[in-house]
Every structure is written in C-alpha cells, then in structure tokens.
Amino acid sequence: MEWTFDRYGWRLETALSIDDLEIIVKKALIEEPFGFPSQINVDEVLQEKLGVKRPAYRIIGACHPPSADIVTLADPAIGLFLPCNVVVREIIGGGSEVAMIDVTMMMQMVNMPELKEVAEDIDGRMTRSRQAILFAL
C-alpha cells in the first residue's frame, strides 16, 4: 500500500470502512496540529437536494490557524484556497480512499514568493500526516 500522486494531490486506497479511515485521517492531521473548521458530507447534500444516492464522500477542511493567519494577511483573496481539503470516500465494491491536496502545487498557482516558507511548512505537515496515515494502516 502506498500513496500515489495525481493531478490534484495524493491518494491512498484502503480496505477500511470510510468511518474507520476518517478517524485515522483526522488523528494524523490533529498531530500536526490541524483543526477541522468545516466538513461537507457531499453524499448527504446530494441526497437532500437532488434525491440521488451516492457512496459516502466527505470533504474535510483541515486548517493550521497560525499559517492561515500569515497567508490571509499577505493576501486576503488566498482564502479561496483555504482550508487544505482532504477527501475520504467510500469505494464502490468495498474499501475507502483518502485524497489530500498537494500544497506545493496549489501555491504555484498563487505565485507569491513571500509565502514560500509557510507553504513548505504546511507541505511538511501534510507529508507527515500522510506518513502517519500509512503507518496506522
């Protein structure tokens, strides 16, 4: 089992249920220390608003407040990229997947060299979170 990179970030499939995976993911992020100011259960929204049934799909908004403070002071519009999104989703046929945004790729779009240090710090925190998730599995 290993993380793979795609166009948006890092992905890892597991045999775990989405609920068990979400616990592991949040625990790993809390250690870095991210908080979760938002979570969207996309499947529930689609069921409620459109009447469609989809596999469980959750977007967890992970926020590191000291970093958010720095970047939003540097550029208030950067909030469009916050928080760092992490997706946990149920895989049809069994198992689940976690996907984590690649902060370095995201910051290339911002193109603000003065934020390079904070972006590298957050990237390191996300990398350590990915390692902790893999270790917990």
Side-chain angles (χ1 to χ4, degrees):
M1 181 179 320
E2 66 182 57
W3 288 93
T4 58
F5 186 80
D6 72 12
R7 60 193 163 202
Y8 304 120
W10 298 93
R11 297 180 173 283
L12 179 68
E13 289 187 14
T14 78
L16 294 177
S17 72
I18 187 174
D19 294 325
D20 291 341
L21 179 59
E22 183 177 344
I23 290 167
I24 290 169
V25 168
K26 285 183 172 178
K27 183 177 181 199
L29 289 165
I30 287 168
E31 292 296 316
E32 280 307 319
F34 287 96
F36 314 109
S38 65
Q39 178 164 327
I40 304 168
N41 295 343
V42 176
D43 57 302
E44 292 176 10
V45 172
L46 294 175
Q47 176 71 40
E48 178 185 331
K49 301 294 183 183
L50 302 177
V52 296
K53 181 89 171 125
R54 298 282 188 259
Y57 189 106
R58 302 169 188 161
I59 302 171
I60 302 166
C63 178
H64 183 253
S67 298
D69 182 45
I70 293 167
V71 299
T72 55
L73 284 174
D75 181 2
I78 206 165
L80 292 169
F81 291 99
L82 301 179
C84 294
N85 285 323
V86 177
V87 170
V88 290
R89 70 179 188 90
E90 186 177 43
I91 298 174
I92 296 173
S96 59
E97 178 186 70
V98 56
M100 300 176 83
I101 189 77
D102 181 81
V103 176
T104 304
M105 182 268 313
M106 184 174 60
M107 288 307 292
Q108 288 173 357
M109 293 175 58
V110 174
N111 193 25
M112 292 182 69
E114 64 271 30
L115 296 180
K116 182 180 181 195
E117 187 175 314
V118 72
E120 289 172 348
D121 177 63
I122 291 297
D123 185 58
R125 293 173 188 282
M126 295 296 273
T127 298
R128 290 187 299 274
S129 294
R130 287 194 308 272
Q131 291 167 342
I133 291 165
L134 195 57
F135 182 75
L137 298 174

